Structure formats: structure tokens, C-alpha cells
Amino acid sequence: MNEVKKTSVEPDEWEPLKAYTNARIALGKTGISIPLKESLQFKMAHAHAKDAVYSQLAIASLQADLAGTSLPIHQIHSQAESRDIYLQRPDLGRLLAPDSVAKLRQLDSSPADISIIIADGLSATAINTYAGPFVTRLVDKVRQTGYSLAPLLLVEQGRVAITDSIGGILRPQLAIILIGERPGLSAFDSMGAYITYAPQPGLTDERRNCISNIREQGLPPILAVDKLMYLINSAFRLQITGVTLKDNNGLLE
């Protein structure tokens, strides 16, 4: 009877550091290869990241989650007509489709203080998971400060700079876009928040502030809302966002 030879996994001296990071360190080895378990986990993480890139906004679920804000909700679209075009033509994801331009022009022409935009970005999975409760908490905080709010916008196939196209029509003093971030092999559900003071076509990214890695295993959403409110209040006080607006509130110290 033939015996199956068992190959042991050699431990890695960095093993204790795995308690502090989700990065793929201290995988160990079996002979000259990584262990089968680690190889399979890598493939699973890659599959999650790919699925996130091709995920879609759960419009009905998001609308239900956002109903508690009592704000009108409008669904709009970028000029990228499909996911494949969105990935191949980033420029089209920054521009509004003609019918979306017409829809926004029909809204109340009185500019609000703040416009909140929700876009799929590169991980609608992140938006579907976190945007509903995040925006509900954010709207409550914004109302407590007395700022007026424009209708909520759900953008399909949108990129960060679509904020400027929207700002050129609605003319809010400040725009916030929540967007799914590029998935990594340890984070496929990370949401980002970008704020732009006086958004308008032609702005570049140094005019924005970003809060990244909003998720339970990164920057918890509750903390992220407080951090965002600090930036909002600072932006209105200084009338600027971007590289000249610094985050000095010490929330993460």
C-alpha cells in the first residue's frame, strides 16, 4: 500500500506581524512554493476584486436606504454607455450623458449649499454596502449645521470629476461625491469621499480633498462622517478645498 507523503508548511519569521495587517505577508512555504491554502485565498481575493469592478448599483436598495433623508433622489448617467466603455474611456465617466444634463436643468434652479452625489466608481459593491447609512448620518449632521441640501444624485458609470459637470449645472457651494474605490487584493469594498468647493468644469484634482478606505476594516464609516464634517466646515470657512485645505482635527491620532 502506497503512503501519501505529507509536505509540511515551513513557518515564516514574520508570522506575528499578520495580526496588524491584511497584506499578504508571512505566507510560509511548501518546498519552493507557497502553501495551497494561500494560493487559493489569493485567487479568491482576485475574484472578489474583479467582481467588484463589474458590480452594479443596487438602485432600489439604495433608494430604500436613503428614504429616511427625506431628500428627492434622482438617477443619472455618465457618457460611458456600458461598463466596458467606462473602463476603456475614463474621460466619458467624467461627463454627463445628454439626457442627464436635461434632467438636472429641470431641477430647482436655486443653488444649495451642498450637493451629495453617489457614484458606482470602480466598486459599486462598496457603495451598495456603505453609502446608505453613511449618507443618512451625513445628512443629519449637515442639517444640524444649517446648510441647505440639493437632491441626492445616484450616478451610474461615474468618475470623481463628474462632480464638476454636475456643479456646472446645479451650482452648489460645495459638492461631495461618494464613490467606489479601485479594488485591491485585500480590500474590494472600499468607499472614498471627495469634496470640491465651487465645483465647475475645468477643475483638476488638486482642488479636491479625499477621505479614502471607508469600510469597517479600514476607516469606520462613523469616524469618516465626523472627519468629513470637519472638512466641510473648514471648506466653508476658508472657501477652498484641495491641497490648501489641511485636515488638522486629529481624529486618527
Side-chain angles (χ1 to χ4, degrees):
M1 182 175 181
N2 295 329
E3 293 185 1
V4 178
K5 184 179 179 180
K6 295 183 178 180
T7 304
S8 61
V9 176
E10 298 180 32
D12 192 293
E13 60 184 8
W14 285 14
E15 183 73 25
L17 297 179
K18 295 184 73 171
Y20 304 101
T21 178
N22 289 327
R24 282 182 166 72
I25 63 171
L27 301 182
K29 61 180 180 178
T30 301
I32 61 172
S33 302
I34 65 173
L36 176 61
K37 176 183 176 182
E38 298 294 346
S39 177
L40 293 176
Q41 287 180 342
F42 177 88
K43 292 179 179 179
M44 177 64 76
H46 184 270
H48 280 314
K50 185 175 181 180
D51 287 347
V53 168
Y54 281 93
S55 59
Q56 298 179 337
L57 289 179
I59 299 294
S61 178
L62 282 169
Q63 289 176 330
D65 290 342
L66 296 168
T69 66
S70 300
L71 288 170
I73 303 171
H74 298 280
Q75 184 179 350
I76 57 177
H77 205 289
S78 77
Q79 290 185 13
E81 297 178 355
S82 68
R83 199 59 176 172
D84 287 337
I85 293 175
Y86 173 84
L87 296 173
Q88 295 165 13
R89 293 285 306 274
D91 57 315
L92 297 182
R94 302 180 185 115
L95 301 172
L96 287 168
D99 60 337
S100 294
V101 171
K103 179 182 289 189
L104 293 184
R105 285 178 175 164
Q106 293 174 357
L107 299 181
D108 185 352
S109 60
S110 301
D113 293 326
I114 296 175
S115 175
I116 299 176
I117 304 157
I118 302 168
D120 45 12
L122 288 167
S123 176
T125 298
I127 296 300
N128 295 338
T129 303
Y130 296 115
F134 185 95
V135 171
T136 300
R137 180 177 176 84
L138 176 62
V139 167
D140 286 343
K141 295 268 187 181
V142 166
R143 283 177 169 150
Q144 290 172 19
T145 62
Y147 298 125
S148 61
L149 286 160
L152 297 176
L153 301 177
L154 301 180
V155 185
E156 293 182 284
Q157 314 297 2
R159 294 191 181 264
V160 171
I162 204 167
T163 301
D164 302 334
S165 296
I166 293 169
I169 300 172
L170 297 185
R171 295 175 290 118
Q173 281 192 262
L174 183 140
I176 303 164
I177 184 168
L178 304 176
I179 194 164
E181 296 184 311
R182 185 184 304 276
L185 292 176
S186 60
F188 62 90
D189 59 349
S190 178
M191 183 174 74
Y194 292 78
I195 70 170
T196 309
Y197 190 84
Q200 58 187 300
L203 297 186
T204 48
D205 286 342
E206 88 281 354
R207 295 287 298 275
R208 315 183 203 284
N209 289 82
C210 173
I211 299 174
S212 185
N213 197 31
I214 301 171
R215 60 190 186 102
E216 291 299 340
Q217 294 76 27
L219 177 62
I222 291 177
L223 254 185
V225 170
D226 292 339
K227 194 173 183 69
L228 184 56
M229 282 305 304
Y230 172 85
L231 290 174
I232 290 170
N233 289 326
S234 297
F236 276 103
R237 185 178 71 252
L238 301 174
Q239 299 185 357
I240 192 69
T241 51
V243 295
T244 55
L245 177 61
K246 307 301 181 183
D247 177 7
N248 298 316
N249 67 343
L251 280 176
L252 300 183
E253 293 179 358

